[in-house]
């Protein structure tokens, strides 16, 4: 099977949607989003040996993850995904099997969230598997929830338990698209991010982008995932430490003022209120006894 | 310099534009295109050892090429580019220098065509340089020029001389955005493609997508690039063969009925009329003496 046969197979199998006037097979795809909406665009490149290990993970799992992490970015804007574009560099020799595996991993996820697989680029080489996904989404103009909207006094929330994703959850992130949609219906959200680098690191991005704000986090309030506890038994760190610093949880972290926790919980039962945005003072943890101390993010730096 | 310092540097250096409500630095970029327009989206992934050789080519040249080939796809739709998204996997050790080199190569090209560098993803690894670029563009709804609009009797045109790009031109393709715009003002274009795989291969895509049409090409009319002749002196093939089959020329090939060559030449002086679309019969070459014979594309297959 050559490049064009493979593209033809992908084209016949790929999901499409109403807003896609032209999908796979031309120089560009053509999209016709709702003119009342603004567009959101995100891109992530996943690398064998870095974001997954092909062999430990199947091509299907890699396909799922590479689309899911982009959908998570769309969720973090409170937006709706429209179309995905997938560029791959396939290890020569096993190129076709891997390509079809990637597609099998992406396709059910795309269908579930109504995302069209609308275009891409297919290469083979002697290097490891690289999967680059770009997703275009939409939301009403002016309604996207950015990182830079937090205000002093905002409560800080997360959508679910954190830490220990390395035990396997990092391969099957659940894009919180529906949760984000229900939360924004329940309350005016000021700032939102998905937790990919680690809670402290990503909350730090919100604080920095919102004009150098700070945050105080109640350590008792942080929902610790059972995987964080399981990993702690091996790592010599504690579960809280994993919950604060581990990456690739893909839960949402958001801030809001004057939201009733009850309405947020009605929207997303796993939501937890974990702290408050402050005018400054950096990131601080509040201990059981009320004392606070400075906390330093040590989330993943992709260049180190 | 870590990941976030590098992103901050790229963010401060990158071009932006009016339609970008939010650029680099959030989970997604936010675009606000003209609501009267439809969107076009394209993505291409360039690999060290495959599309360039880092060392022979500078990072700056790689940056230029990786954006230019995507702009060429936007040109092939007769559209206007709005924003580019750049995902990179940088060889560890030299990551920063390469990243800044890529940016130096992209930035002047982006400015020249009014394209914002609106987002991306930065990774380092032990593998070779990978650059994935996605470009979003726009054109009036219904006006994008697709591959599937050719009709029997259409004349076939190319925007410039072909072949021998391997001698160096493949690193500095000129996106024919302005040319496409002038051509569509001058005439109703039926189908268009950029020549990336090779003239016969790409014209074959037009014929196949337009419902299994054929084409007869006058070999005397094909503009042969002087690089094709220079390469022929080494390759044992002739210049015409290079012009028909070499990839990465990034000239446009288009079809139209009832266009005056005079108006097309006034729009783009290097345009040449090279043949005619037929109802069937595959791709054929017409020789000096009027005889025709079947021609088989042997453009680049990225999986082989």
């Amino acid at each position: 099977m050559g490049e064009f046969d493979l593209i033809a197979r992908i084209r016949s199998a790929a999901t499409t949607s109403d807003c896609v006037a032209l999908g796979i097979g031309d120089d560009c795809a053509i999209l016709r989003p709702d003119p009342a909406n603004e567009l959101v665009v995100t891109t992530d490149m996943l690398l064998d040996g870095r974001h997954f290990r092909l062999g430990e993970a199947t091509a299907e799992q890699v396909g799922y993850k590479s689309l899911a992490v982009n959908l998570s970015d769309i969720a973090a804007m409170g937006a709706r995904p429209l179309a995905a574009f997938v560029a791959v560099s396939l290890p020569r020799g096993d190129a076709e099997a891997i390509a079809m595996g990637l597609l099998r991993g992406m396709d059910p996820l795309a269908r579930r969230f109504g995302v069209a697989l609308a275009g891409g680029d297919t290469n083979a080489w002697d290097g490891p598997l690289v999967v680059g996904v770009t997703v275009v989404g939409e939301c009403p103009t002016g309604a996207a929830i950015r990182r830079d909207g937090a205000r002093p006094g905002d409560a800080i929330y997360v959508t679910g338990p954190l830490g220990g994703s390395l035990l396997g959850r990092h391969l099957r992130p659940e894009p919180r698209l529906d949760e984000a949609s229900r939360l924004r219906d329940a309350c005016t959200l000021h700032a939102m991010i998905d937790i990919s680098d680690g809670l402290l690191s990503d909350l730090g991005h919100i604080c920095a982008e919102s004009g150098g704000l700070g945050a105080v986090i109640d350590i008792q309030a942080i929902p610790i995932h059972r995987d964080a506890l399981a990993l702690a038994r091996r790592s010599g760190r504690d579960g809280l430490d994993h919950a604060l610093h581990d990456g690739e949880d893909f839960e949402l972290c958001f801030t809001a003022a004057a939201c009733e926790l009850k309405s947020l919980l009605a929207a997303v039962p796993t939501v937890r209120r974990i702290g408050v945005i402050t005018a400054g003072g950096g990131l601080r943890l509040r201990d059981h006894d009320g004392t606070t101390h400075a906390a330093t993010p040590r989330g993943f730096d992709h260049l180190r």
Side-chain angles (χ1 to χ4, degrees), chain A:
Chain A
M1 180 161 63
E3 179 188 5
F4 301 113
D5 299 319
L6 178 62
I7 292 171
R9 280 186 64 181
I10 294 172
R11 189 173 170 178
S12 69
T15 46
T16 189
S17 85
D18 287 349
C19 82
V20 177
L22 181 66
I24 295 167
D26 212 304
D27 295 291
C28 293
I30 304 176
L31 306 184
R32 292 181 185 155
D34 186 329
N37 287 350
E38 62 191 5
L39 296 169
V40 296
V41 185
T42 184
T43 189
D44 269 304
M45 184 178 276
L46 274 68
L47 308 169
D48 189 2
R50 198 78 178 141
H51 305 91
F52 60 86
R53 286 176 200 283
L54 197 62
E56 293 175 28
T58 63
E60 205 166 321
Q61 287 176 307
V62 174
Y64 177 93
K65 178 175 182 176
S66 56
L67 178 57
V69 298
N70 280 283
L71 296 181
S72 180
D73 283 319
I74 301 286
M77 305 302 285
R80 196 172 77 84
L82 295 174
F85 302 84
V86 182
V88 291
S89 296
L90 304 162
R92 211 191 306 271
D94 209 16
E96 300 162 31
I98 294 174
M100 298 315 291
L102 292 172
L103 184 61
R104 276 196 310 277
M106 287 183 194
D107 201 54
L109 185 62
R111 283 178 203 278
R112 194 174 137 212
F113 289 112
V115 186
L117 295 180
D121 185 29
T122 308
N123 300 281
W125 71 334
D126 298 317
L129 176 60
V130 179
V131 186
V133 177
T134 303
V135 175
V136 177
E138 66 179 350
C139 68
T141 297
I145 303 163
R146 304 157 52 140
R147 295 180 180 183
D148 63 4
R151 300 171 205 168
D154 278 4
I156 304 165
Y157 303 86
V158 295
T159 50
L162 304 174
S165 73
L166 203 61
L167 291 185
R169 241 162 61 243
H170 77 100
L171 283 175
R172 42 175 195 279
E174 181 61 35
R176 298 301 184 194
L177 288 159
D178 297 338
E179 289 80 355
S181 165
R182 290 197 303 268
L183 289 168
R184 67 178 310 163
D185 285 348
C187 180
T188 302
L189 312 185
H190 286 172
M192 189 149 64
I193 194 169
D194 69 327
I195 302 176
S196 53
D197 293 331
L199 172 62
L200 281 192
S201 182
D202 288 313
L203 179 58
H205 295 322
I206 286 184
C207 291
E209 296 289 332
S210 299
L213 302 182
V216 176
I217 301 171
D218 287 311
I219 61 168
Q220 287 180 287
I222 294 174
I224 299 173
H225 198 281
R226 63 173 182 273
D227 288 345
L229 299 170
L231 193 56
R233 286 193 286 272
R234 304 192 210 161
S235 67
R237 295 159 53 192
D238 62 19
L240 175 66
D241 195 70
H242 282 290
L244 288 171
H245 297 290
D246 285 1
E248 305 213 309
D249 272 306
F250 299 104
E251 294 294 343
L252 300 173
C253 174
F254 62 97
T255 84
C259 284
E260 290 206 17
L261 185 57
K262 208 171 67 178
S263 2
L264 291 173
L265 283 169
V268 179
T270 51
V271 159
R272 293 296 175 267
R273 178 177 167 149
I274 62 165
V276 64
I277 296 288
T278 56
L283 298 176
R284 302 187 68 79
L285 299 179
R286 179 156 48 207
D287 228 325
H288 307 74
D289 59 6
T291 59
T292 67
H293 59 278
T296 307
R298 48 170 201 272
F300 201 70
D301 183 327
H302 292 85
L303 292 194
R304 298 209 187 271

